[in-house]
């Protein structure tokens, strides 16, 4: 399958994608049945970034970032580039130069199950990146991969045009076909959490707010007074 680039992919409606940016990764992950979360090793290179975008997917050979350059041309405003090597790699596939090109096209961030470098410059630019590691190890441009085919990235299947949400807690993928339903479920969850937060702030216990006492007793929890 190497050497294939799919163009003009179907993306989720922009308003729908932007709606996910109002919700954290944990909320979206829970709202879609605790699914879609990339491996915990995929972390932000600096704190505070929070984005949602449409996935442009890329496979790259170990130590070779040629297809990242190819993928830039396929990116549109509102996209997130999602990259996975075909074998484990700690090379730095992204630096400030390619990030500059991506940022100029309106790409909202970059996720890779491998390494990146130039992290100080990337933070200065305000270009959000999530990676498995930070590594100055350089790459070559010799072998082909793919752009906009389904991939497995950090344990999750990602298809072109899927919605990707990323923040300090990690990265979660929402299948394109489920995006509207998951967004609505996220809103409902946020509303419920807001109500619980207000009750906690007023001094109520989670045991009562979430009606845990009967189930705890059923499981055999026993209180012993000293």
């Amino acid at each position: 399958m190497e050497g294939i680039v799919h163009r003009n992919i179907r993306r989720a409606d922009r308003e729908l994608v932007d709606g996910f940016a109002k919700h954290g990764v944990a909320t979206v992950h829970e709202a879609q049945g605790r699914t879609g979360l990339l491996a915990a090793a995929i972390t932000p290179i600096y704190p505070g970034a929070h984005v949602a975008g449409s996935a442009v997917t890329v496979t790259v050979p170990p130590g070779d970032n040629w297809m990242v350059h190819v993928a830039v041309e396929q990116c549109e405003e509102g996209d997130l580039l999602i990259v996975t090597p075909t074998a484990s790699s700690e090379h730095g596939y992204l630096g400030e130069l390619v990030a500059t090109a991506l940022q100029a096209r309106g790409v909202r961030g970059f996720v890779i199950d491998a390494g990146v470098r130039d992290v100080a410059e990337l933070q200065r630019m305000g270009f959000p990146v999530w990676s498995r590691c930070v590594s100055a190890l350089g790459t070559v441009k010799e072998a082909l991969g793919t752009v906009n085919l389904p991939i497995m990235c950090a344990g999750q299947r990602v298809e072109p045009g899927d919605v990707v949400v990323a923040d300090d807690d990690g990265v979660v993928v929402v299948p394109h076909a489920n995006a509207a339903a998951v967004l609505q479920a996220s809103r409902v969850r946020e509303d419920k959490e807001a109500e619980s937060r207000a009750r906690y702030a007023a001094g109520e216990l989670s045991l009562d707010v979430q009606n845990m006492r009967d189930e705890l007793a059923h499981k055999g929890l026993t209180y012993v007074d000293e």
Side-chain angles (χ1 to χ4, degrees):
M1 297 291 290
E2 288 80 6
I4 301 295
V5 177
H6 284 186
R7 300 190 290 187
N8 304 315
I9 62 170
R10 182 185 177 196
R11 294 166 170 86
D13 181 78
R14 177 65 62 80
E15 184 176 351
L16 188 65
V17 174
D18 290 347
F20 277 98
K22 301 175 182 177
H23 303 289
V25 165
T27 294
V28 175
H29 167 62
E30 295 278 0
Q32 65 172 352
R34 299 180 180 174
T35 60
L37 193 65
L38 270 61
I42 308 302
T43 57
I45 63 168
Y46 61 84
H50 182 188
V51 297
S54 296
V56 170
T57 59
V58 187
T59 62
V60 290
D64 191 316
N65 78 340
W66 210 3
M67 295 305 293
V68 175
H69 291 265
V70 172
V72 172
E73 185 180 26
Q74 304 307 315
C75 291
E76 298 181 359
E77 184 178 352
D79 286 343
L80 269 170
L81 204 59
I82 315 296
V83 183
T84 189
T86 54
S88 179
S89 177
E90 293 186 349
H91 289 73
Y93 284 84
L94 177 79
E96 65 162 322
L97 293 179
V98 174
T100 298
L102 290 169
Q103 196 172 57
R105 296 183 74 84
V107 174
R108 294 178 174 177
F110 185 92
V111 177
I112 185 168
D113 191 6
V116 298
R117 60 187 188 179
D118 298 340
V119 294
E121 289 84 355
L122 293 171
Q123 182 172 10
R124 176 185 54 78
M125 294 167 56
F127 187 71
V129 175
W130 287 258
S131 68
R132 182 170 289 273
C133 64
V134 172
S135 173
L137 188 60
T139 56
V140 298
K141 298 168 181 60
E142 297 177 351
L144 298 180
T146 66
V147 177
N148 282 332
L149 272 68
I151 64 173
M152 289 295 297
C153 183
Q156 295 296 329
R157 179 180 172 88
V158 188
E159 297 196 5
D162 283 350
V163 179
V164 180
V165 185
D167 65 13
D168 286 338
D169 290 339
V171 181
V172 66
V173 179
V174 179
H176 180 279
N178 302 341
V182 174
L183 179 58
Q184 178 58 28
S186 298
R187 289 169 175 159
V188 170
R189 184 176 180 84
E190 287 275 11
D191 291 343
K192 182 179 179 181
E193 289 184 350
E195 180 182 345
S196 296
R197 188 178 300 109
R199 294 177 66 179
Y200 292 161
E204 292 189 65
L205 296 172
S206 57
L207 292 174
D208 299 315
V209 173
Q210 298 189 32
N211 299 314
M212 297 180 185
R213 295 189 186 278
D214 289 346
E215 186 63 20
L216 287 167
H218 178 71
K219 294 290 186 180
L221 181 68
T222 301
Y223 291 90
V224 178
D225 293 329
E226 295 292 336

